[in-house]
Amino acid sequence: MSNTATLNLDGKIYEFDTGIGTENEKYIDMAHLRSKTGYITLDPGFGNTGSCFSSITYVEGAKGILQHRGYPIEELAEKATFVEVAYLVIYGKLPSENELMNFSAGLKEHAPLHTNLEHHFSGFPKSAPPMAILSAMLNLVACFHPEVLEVTSDGEDFDKTATLLLSKVRTIAAFAYRMAAGKPINHPNPNRGYCGNFLHMMFSDPYQEFQVSPIVEKALNLFLILHADHEQNCSTSTVRVVGSSRANLFSSVAAGVCALWGPLHGGANAAVIAMLQDIKSSGRKPEYYIEKAKDKNDPFKLMGFGHRVYKNFDPRALILKKQVHKLLDELHINDELLDISRELEEATLKDDFFISRNLYPNVDFYSGILLRAIGIPLNMYTVMFAIGRMPGWIANWKELLDHKQRISRPRQIYTGENKRRYTSLIER
Ligand code: ACO
């Protein structure tokens, strides 16, 4: 097979290198297209543009494959803990017993927030969306630890910055919830594991420490693993774009939180539940919503359906669907929204519009039902996604520095006015 691609443009022949990734993904290296030809590639939404080389996560949409550092998501979901997966995603290997012990010790050590930070939470209005608080507080936390503002992707400084972020994000999230709910904050308990500690900070009362059920802890662990990374999605690309200017990890990730917030991305998990609740309260059949989603004059979309990359099934949705049923059985919960989601999914998968466009349930379709079952309030769903996605954001930020990635600076095709003269106010 030839290792160059030939482009015939304006009567001239140009050659470009081609290459292949470890899972046989093929590419044409167009980095010098403009300097060679004067043309640029146009690809709004970057559906067809590789922005980097990466060895973190492999996704093959047509076959529903998701692997972190080579390990299939199905195996990680069944056998690993979130802390192990976080280590794997960030450092590229499963931790040894000793490495895991040190990593976990760092997470415990960095869980508390500086006391002076606490009153900042009460500065937010009660109605402040927790995603706004999370993004703002990530930048603020960094100010209390000036050493994390250093931009370094290896050695002890990086290890500390990464562990500090992974640990404190839980505390920020739980404090944001407690403050908004008008409840006293719960400081982290070093005797608890990553998920148990978060649940304690969310749900303990001053006089009664929350009894974390192993079933609930396991479900949260699974949720976080399924969100750990997903290659160059909107929020991860944002983290990389911001990080490419050599912005520090906390600021890069704070930008990632904002990108995740939107309903077309991480915000879909809360939007799905809002949609199911709407179906329930309206008393309408799911078919009504399906027709609405198909109507080109209606902005409504079926939330939790469709994916830029997965065109057959989202492996995370399959795992979640199975686990959600199991969880609800184990907790003896009868959630009408689960029945509605099942009906909606069945009706959608029979509909030609959705079949012909390869639109299937994505990870967000079932994750809200899991979060509901473990008692997480709706406005915290996307924050939960952000906690889960932290290892992926950290790993991508580290990788771009390791690879000395150039600053991100896409081009555009200008379609505005041609040069014109300024007219004074009186002449306009
Ligand atoms: N409901 C109705 N129609 C849909 C939906 C949907 N959920 N998703 C896609 N379509 C239609 C589009 O209108 C388009 O139709 P057309 O070909 O007639 O114009 C076609 O399917 C292709 O969709 P695109 O919008 O081009 O797909 P894209 O890759 O740009 O967007 C996205 C993917 C954003 C996920 C989209 O499917 C969507 O908005 N889904 C709902 C929101 C959602 O669930 N987001 C979570 C994604 S997973 C995650 O971020 C973790």
Side-chain angles (χ1 to χ4, degrees):
M1 192 180 93
S2 152
N3 57 359
T4 54
T6 308
L7 180 67
N8 187 338
L9 202 58
D10 299 335
K12 277 193 184 162
I13 303 289
Y14 299 94
E15 291 201 327
F16 296 91
D17 287 343
T18 65
I20 197 156
T22 46
E23 290 283 354
N24 297 325
E25 288 169 300
K26 297 176 196 144
Y27 68 90
I28 304 172
D29 183 347
M30 302 305 273
H32 300 292
L33 175 70
R34 186 174 166 277
S35 58
K36 281 184 180 178
T37 68
Y39 282 75
I40 62 165
T41 54
L42 183 66
D43 180 19
F46 309 130
N48 202 43
T49 297
S51 59
C52 59
F53 290 105
S54 180
S55 56
I56 303 167
T57 288
Y58 173 63
V59 177
E60 187 172 342
K63 294 188 184 155
I65 293 174
L66 168 59
Q67 291 168 189
H68 297 313
R69 305 288 191 179
Y71 295 97
I73 190 64
E74 292 79 5
E75 259 187 82
L76 295 173
E78 191 191 330
K79 298 178 182 158
T81 64
F82 175 63
V83 173
E84 268 182 293
V85 173
Y87 188 98
L88 169 71
V89 168
I90 297 169
Y91 293 104
K93 65 187 270 285
L94 284 169
S96 67
E97 219 176 319
N98 211 22
E99 285 162 339
L100 186 60
M101 208 173 69
N102 288 336
F103 190 54
S104 302
L107 293 175
K108 281 187 182 173
E109 181 192 335
H110 297 303
L113 296 185
H114 193 290
T115 326
N116 292 353
L117 260 169
E118 285 173 16
H119 75 270
H120 285 278
F121 285 92
S122 47
F124 289 97
K126 219 171 167 310
S127 58
M131 284 298 271
I133 301 179
L134 180 62
S135 179
M137 291 305 284
L138 281 167
N139 269 314
L140 190 54
V141 166
C143 302
F144 281 77
H145 302 272
E147 67 279 17
V148 306
L149 299 175
E150 291 295 318
V151 175
T152 172
S153 64
D154 59 18
E156 281 179 16
D157 288 344
F158 169 77
D159 294 345
K160 182 176 173 191
T161 304
T163 334
L164 207 131
L165 174 56
L166 202 55
S167 185
K168 291 203 192 301
V169 67
R170 263 175 324 175
T171 317
I172 298 172
F175 281 19
Y177 161 67
R178 299 288 299 181
M179 290 288 202
K183 296 178 178 181
I185 54 172
N186 296 309
H187 291 285
N189 177 346
N191 299 320
R192 291 181 182 260
Y194 191 90
C195 294
N197 210 348
F198 175 72
L199 291 166
H200 147 68
M201 288 190 277
M202 286 286 289
F203 301 125
S204 282
D205 285 324
Y207 305 111
Q208 190 160 23
E209 184 138 331
F210 182 67
Q211 293 305 307
V212 179
S213 131
I215 298 171
V216 168
E217 195 167 352
K218 208 167 146 215
L220 178 56
N221 185 62
L222 175 78
F223 172 90
L224 296 177
I225 289 176
L226 293 181
H227 289 80
D229 189 41
H230 210 243
E231 55 122 296
Q232 303 312 315
N233 54 78
C234 177
S235 55
T236 303
S237 298
T238 301
V239 171
R240 275 196 179 249
V241 168
V242 176
S244 77
S245 74
R246 304 301 180 260
N248 70 79
L249 177 60
F250 276 68
S251 298
S252 305
V253 160
V257 168
C258 296
L260 187 72
W261 192 355
L264 299 189
H265 190 15
N269 62 8
V272 168
I273 294 296
M275 177 183 75
L276 295 176
Q277 276 167 336
D278 195 47
I279 298 179
K280 184 180 157 195
S281 60
S282 73
R284 290 192 170 107
K285 298 295 286 175
E287 282 73 11
Y288 169 84
Y289 291 86
I290 293 175
E291 289 311 314
K292 224 170 128 50
K294 286 156 59 174
D295 181 353
K296 292 284 168 207
N297 298 317
D298 190 325
F300 175 79
K301 283 188 170 192
L302 274 192
M303 299 317 282
F305 274 83
H307 198 275
R308 171 62 63 80
V309 183
Y310 294 124
K311 297 299 177 196
N312 262 324
F313 65 94
D314 177 340
R316 302 164 301 174
L318 282 195
I319 297 170
L320 264 178
K321 182 177 176 179
K322 214 163 108 199
Q323 290 304 321
V324 157
H325 284 96
K326 201 164 155 251
L327 177 71
L328 263 56
D329 281 350
E330 284 173 343
L331 295 175
H332 309 294
I333 295 175
N334 187 5
D335 189 345
E336 211 185 314
L337 295 195
L338 181 62
D339 301 331
I340 296 173
S341 69
R342 220 183 271 145
E343 255 185 82
L344 182 64
E345 182 184 351
E346 273 171 25
T348 307
L349 296 182
K350 282 188 206 139
D351 192 288
D352 275 348
F353 177 95
F354 287 84
I355 296 171
S356 63
R357 287 168 180 76
N358 300 310
L359 301 171
Y360 295 86
N362 58 50
V363 65
D364 293 318
F365 192 64
Y366 284 105
S367 63
I369 298 189
L370 180 140
L371 293 174
R372 224 166 111 84
I374 65 179
I376 306 290
L378 187 62
N379 67 349
M380 288 290 289
Y381 286 9
T382 315
V383 170
M384 301 305 295
F385 191 150
I387 299 175
R389 186 49 55 85
M390 218 36 86
W393 288 339
I394 296 171
N396 274 276
W397 183 87
K398 172 175 166 52
E399 191 176 70
L400 88 91
L401 288 180
D402 289 344
H403 290 184
K404 301 184 173 52
Q405 191 178 301
R406 289 175 85 191
I407 187 165
S408 292
R409 205 312 186 177
R411 294 270 174 173
Q412 63 166 23
I413 298 294
Y414 176 69
T415 57
E417 298 286 347
N418 291 118
K419 185 177 174 185
R420 49 184 170 165
R421 295 196 74 96
Y422 177 83
T423 47
S424 66
L425 200 51
I426 204 153
E427 290 173 293
R428 276 175 240 160

